Amino acid sequence: MILTIGEILFDIFPAYKRLGGAPFNVAAHLKALGFSVVFASRVGDDPDGKRVLNVLSEKGFDLRFVQVDPDHETGHVNVVLDDQGSPAFEIIRDVAYDYLAWTDEIDTVLRQKELKLICYGTLMQRTPEGAETVQRILENRPPDARCFYDINLRPGCYHREVIATSLTHCDILKLSDEELTVLRDMFGVSGPDDEAVRSLMDRFGIQRVSLTGGKAGSRLY
């Protein structure tokens, strides 16, 4: 069993909108590949939230783990394209996924011996409420469950303390070369990429790192 925690949201383009969110994308692909996946998130009590629930239901997800927030809208990102078609993203704040709460359903999943992997990111932890719930999940994971941290940093949506704690819990880290630059400055890491990655692995006890480099491909440590 795999537990994926994080945002599900709509990317709103000038002419259309598309369901997304990195944690949701991971969960949906794992589900399509035949894995047993629990997706924990939070949506608003609004038309977009109902659409999200319908999509998740069609994909076979257990909706008990998708909370409905009566006070905050479903997450969305405004996407603006420049003259060359390059996108700029405005991630809307104070939305439903910012307030993921600890529930009996989450507690029950963490007690399952079948739980082998927990996937999480940074965006949902931009608020104290979201960070508290994610960190509580990681702290109460089964001894055999590994943690996969897709760091996925977005400008203005992360804090050093949250990242440090998330790195301490993680066994497997995925990050881009741009995000490695952020971690260099944040934790005083120097040297070539290989040395910087090894330094982070040693410092936080990380077993594996996937470093992506766009067109240059990726490296696995």
Side-chain angles (χ1 to χ4, degrees), residues 152-174:
N152 201 24
L153 301 180
R154 294 291 180 258
C157 295
Y158 58 85
H159 311 281
R160 185 186 187 281
E161 182 179 354
V162 163
I163 292 175
T165 307
S166 297
L167 289 171
T168 299
H169 284 294
C170 92
D171 301 294
I172 307 164
L173 171 66
K174 174 184 172 290

Side-chain angles (χ1 to χ4, degrees), residues 2-40:
I2 301 170
L3 171 61
T4 301
I5 317 158
E7 65 276 4
I8 184 168
L9 50 80
F10 282 99
D11 292 317
I12 301 179
F13 292 83
Y16 65 96
K17 62 182 181 181
R18 179 179 61 195
L19 192 61
F24 162 67
N25 292 333
V26 169
H29 285 294
L30 288 172
K31 188 80 169 176
L33 289 169
F35 289 95
S36 174
V37 183
V38 171
F39 178 56

Side-chain angles (χ1 to χ4, degrees), residues 46-64:
D46 52 28
D48 279 345
K50 292 179 174 61
R51 181 177 173 187
V52 167
L53 294 176
N54 288 335
V55 170
L56 291 174
S57 179
E58 291 171 359
K59 292 183 178 295
F61 286 100
D62 189 336
L63 299 185
R64 291 179 300 166

